[in-house]
């Protein structure tokens, strides 16, 4: 129902996993926004941990037909990468993660934060992971938001000392947005562990490990 309400088309249900597409079977110019709204509706309507990944890429789709039934088949490298990220998010325990391409389209309309970094072997290059935090955007000019973003850039540059400083400034800002606090706290903890050489890599490859604590949800 949530998928249909947001102009999505559910094309696969396997066990406890469902796949929904936008702009595949019918035109949907605002497919990123529709996918985000669907994710928020599902998150609000489902009990327990809900693990979702939003990704955008070119896929190959077709129908495999037998005497008894027809089956829709969708595949491609980015589909495999999305499956990898789904497994990763089961460890990270964020409700919804997305690729940078999706986040770029949502930054002005939704609350989105960079939360991790991964390198699925199927893609051959690394990608930043973003969390869909809420339905309204963060203020990009707010000092604590800028500190958070500088902290992320320091993490990507392996400057874990500066990362801790930036996340501390974010958390100590008297006007810090409460929705950012758990994400900044997690990355500050990870930066401290990395500086002491006892934490996992910020860049997660095909085999991922938990960072010692779940994501903010």
């Amino acid at each position: 129902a949530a998928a249909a309400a947001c102009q999505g088309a559910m094309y696969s249900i396997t066990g406890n996993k469902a796949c929904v597409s936008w702009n595949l079977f019918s035109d949907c110019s605002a497919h990123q926004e529709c996918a985000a709204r669907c994710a928020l509706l599902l998150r609000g309507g489902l009990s327990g941990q809900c693990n979702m990944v939003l990704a955008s890429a070119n896929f190959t789709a077709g129908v495999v037909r037998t005497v008894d039934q027809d089956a829709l088949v969708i595949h491609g490298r980015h589909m495999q990468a999305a499956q990898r990220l789904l497994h990763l998010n089961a460890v990270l325990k964020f409700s919804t993660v997305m690729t940078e391409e999706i986040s770029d389209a949502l930054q002005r309309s939704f609350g989105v934060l960079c939360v991790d970094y991964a390198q699925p072997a199927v893609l051959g290059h690394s990608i930043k992971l973003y969390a869909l935090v809420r339905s309204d955007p963060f203020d990009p000019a707010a000092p604590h938001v800028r500190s958070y973003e500088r902290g992320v850039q320091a993490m990507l540059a392996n400057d874990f000392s500066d990362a801790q400083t930036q996340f501390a400034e974010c958390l100590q800002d008297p006007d810090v947005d409460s929705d950012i606090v758990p994400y900044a706290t997690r990355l500050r903890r990870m930066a401290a562990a990395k500086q002491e050489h006892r934490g996992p890599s910020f860049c997660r490859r095909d085999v991922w490990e938990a960072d010692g604590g779940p994501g903010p949800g």
Side-chain angles (χ1 to χ4, degrees):
C6 297
Q7 304 178 47
M10 186 174 294
Y11 62 84
S12 174
I13 302 177
T14 306
N16 62 353
K17 181 179 70 177
C19 298
V20 182
S21 71
W22 284 265
N23 209 37
L24 180 61
F25 304 109
S26 59
D27 291 338
C28 180
S29 59
H31 50 279
Q32 297 99 334
E33 291 85 351
C34 289
R37 286 197 297 271
C38 179
L40 291 171
L41 281 174
L42 287 171
R43 195 160 74 189
L46 297 176
S47 59
Q49 178 67 31
C50 186
N51 176 16
M52 292 177 278
V53 170
L54 306 182
S56 178
N58 293 323
F59 301 121
T60 300
V63 175
V64 176
R65 182 167 290 129
T66 67
V67 175
D68 299 318
Q69 62 182 358
D70 295 344
L72 175 67
V73 178
I74 299 177
H75 63 91
R77 288 188 307 131
H78 288 83
M79 176 65 76
Q80 296 175 47
Q83 295 280 7
R84 295 278 190 180
L85 295 181
L86 190 66
H87 291 306
L88 167 59
N89 198 34
V91 175
L92 296 179
K93 301 187 185 303
F94 295 107
S95 287
T96 310
V97 295
M98 68 190 75
T99 58
E100 189 168 8
E101 182 180 5
I102 296 287
S103 75
D104 287 345
L106 299 181
Q107 292 280 2
R108 295 184 179 181
S109 303
F110 295 84
V112 175
L113 293 173
C114 183
V115 293
D116 219 303
Y117 193 51
Q119 187 173 337
V122 68
L123 288 183
H125 60 84
S126 50
I127 57 176
K128 287 188 282 188
L129 299 180
Y130 292 76
L132 177 63
V133 180
R134 65 189 193 191
S135 59
D136 56 302
F138 296 108
D139 179 4
H144 65 277
V145 174
R146 291 183 175 180
S147 293
Y148 183 94
E149 292 174 348
R150 287 194 296 267
V152 168
Q153 292 305 314
M155 291 286 284
L156 295 174
N158 294 323
D159 188 345
F160 302 111
S161 176
D162 185 45
Q164 290 180 75
T165 299
Q166 296 299 332
F167 291 126
E169 289 183 2
C170 171
L171 293 167
Q172 291 165 7
D173 188 324
D175 298 319
V176 63
D177 192 311
S178 60
D179 286 333
I180 288 183
V181 169
Y183 296 89
T185 301
R186 171 183 174 271
L187 289 183
R188 184 187 183 188
R189 185 179 70 241
M190 183 185 289
K194 281 301 298 178
Q195 190 173 23
E196 296 177 12
H197 305 290
R198 60 181 177 82
S201 172
F202 187 54
C203 180
R204 300 165 191 270
R205 300 179 184 273
D206 258 8
V207 179
W208 293 295
E209 298 177 276
D211 64 4

